[in-house]
Amino acid sequence: MQLPNQRLDVTTGGIGETAAFKINASAKMFSILGDKIYSDKPRAVVREISTNAYDIHIATGQTKPFLVILPVTQDPNLIIRDFGTGLTYDQVVNHYTTYFDSSKMEDDKQAGALGLGSKSPFAYCDMFTVTSFQGGQKRVYMIFKDEDQMPQITLVSTSETDAEDGLEVRVPVAPADFEGFKTAACPVLKFFPEDSYRLIGAVVTPPDLSWDWGWLAEFKTPWNQRSLVQMGPVAYEVDWSLLPEALANIAKTRLLFRVPMGSVDILPSREGLSMDKHTIRYLSDLVHDFVDKSHDALLKEIDAPTEWEQVCNINRLKSSILKNTATGHYKFTGEFKPHGGLR
């Protein structure tokens, strides 16, 4: 995914010698990037590894669903298996393990961009395994933290296989956390296309929507559902209070905005949007667009062949954000007439 790139015009004449900042590849740095940036550890692991599986299927045109297997007593591991191309030894040890190395930075069909997600299991545990199936070869890698808390990788075994090409990530889960991973998986996967994955160990309920325009929808329940912005298969939290107050009051609850890949910036954790000037302006324009279209959309939602059906539709929408927005900015006198604006 190509993230918004804001270039700066900087004049440096006459300021003297300059020196570039550096990053010390320390245990503290790896801990921040692999663990501390995530507030919900199980959810981060499921989201990031599932997104990687989704991306490789998009990139290769694979229509078979990737697998997400939740931990159980007989096999206490979270397992996510894709059916993409697998990875060569060089790709694993020189790219998969390199922070901020991503092959997706110029591809707006894929959700990845930062080169952090593959390391997200470190948010939960100190060791996990990655198995690459490629061209009849099965390579098992152990990824772990050494005694100095520095991430390491080692090739554990190589063998022949007739398994389909792809990658499997296996994360050991403590029994006390089985339910936590189950609870984390369903809210994450419900925004993925239903035919893109197969979840074993739980049932995902798709979002319950009152109406859906494609680029915008409204959650029917719960009533206190915070509005989200979906980009690709991931729905992002938003600090709506950073928008102008009138817009924030409309947008903050029960709406699902769907935006093109790369149209807004994200936090490194992917737990929310980075509310920079570009993102705030983009979201403000979306809310304005919603308000502008709410009048015609409300009439379309209410329209029906009989008066009884129209009344039923009005009752269905009586607590809808759509109805409140349209009637809040239009007077009803047999037809909707504007009586004020937000700009």
Side-chain angles (χ1 to χ4, degrees), residues 180-236:
F181 273 85
K182 180 179 179 179
T183 302
C186 293
V188 168
L189 293 172
K190 74 178 182 179
F191 293 100
F192 282 66
E194 290 184 56
D195 60 352
S196 68
Y197 67 91
R198 181 185 172 205
L199 176 63
I200 299 175
V203 176
V204 176
T205 302
D208 187 16
L209 303 175
S210 294
W211 47 266
D212 191 341
W213 298 352
W215 68 275
L216 178 64
E218 181 181 344
F219 295 107
K220 187 179 297 183
T221 55
W223 300 116
N224 62 345
Q225 166 72 53
R226 287 175 58 84
S227 293
L228 303 174
V229 171
Q230 182 177 352
M231 192 160 54
V234 180
Y236 296 89

Side-chain angles (χ1 to χ4, degrees), residues 299-316:
L299 294 182
K300 185 176 180 180
E301 290 288 337
I302 292 173
D303 188 36
T306 68
E307 185 175 341
W308 171 250
E309 289 175 296
Q310 292 176 10
V311 171
C312 290
N313 286 338
I314 291 172
N315 287 333
R316 174 175 61 85

Side-chain angles (χ1 to χ4, degrees), residues 241-307:
S241 67
L242 297 177
L243 271 65
E245 184 177 0
L247 300 180
N249 288 338
I250 292 171
K252 63 185 178 181
T253 57
R254 302 216 317 269
L255 293 176
L256 176 64
F257 293 88
R258 300 188 184 101
V259 302
M261 289 285 201
S263 56
V264 291
D265 209 349
I266 62 175
L267 296 175
S269 64
R270 209 190 292 272
E271 292 178 346
L273 296 184
S274 176
M275 299 300 285
D276 54 28
K277 290 181 180 179
H278 166 83
T279 297
I280 291 174
R281 183 169 58 251
Y282 188 95
L283 295 179
S284 296
D285 289 343
L286 279 183
V287 180
H288 275 302
D289 201 18
F290 168 50
V291 172
D292 291 343
K293 294 178 178 177
S294 61
H295 163 232
D296 291 339
L298 179 60
L299 294 182
K300 185 176 180 180
E301 290 288 337
I302 292 173
D303 188 36
T306 68
E307 185 175 341

Side-chain angles (χ1 to χ4, degrees), residues 13 15 25 38 42 45 81 146 155 158 203 224 228 240 259 304 316:
I15 64 172
Y38 302 113
V45 178
R81 166 72 151 98
D146 64 17
L155 176 61
T158 302
V203 176
N224 62 345
L228 303 174
W240 295 103
V259 302
R316 174 175 61 85

Side-chain angles (χ1 to χ4, degrees), residues 141-161:
Y141 301 86
M142 180 183 294
I143 300 177
F144 61 97
K145 291 181 181 179
D146 64 17
E147 61 273 14
D148 296 317
Q149 295 297 298
M150 295 290 286
Q152 304 286 340
I153 185 169
T154 184
L155 176 61
V156 176
S157 66
T158 302
S159 59
E160 294 185 356
T161 182

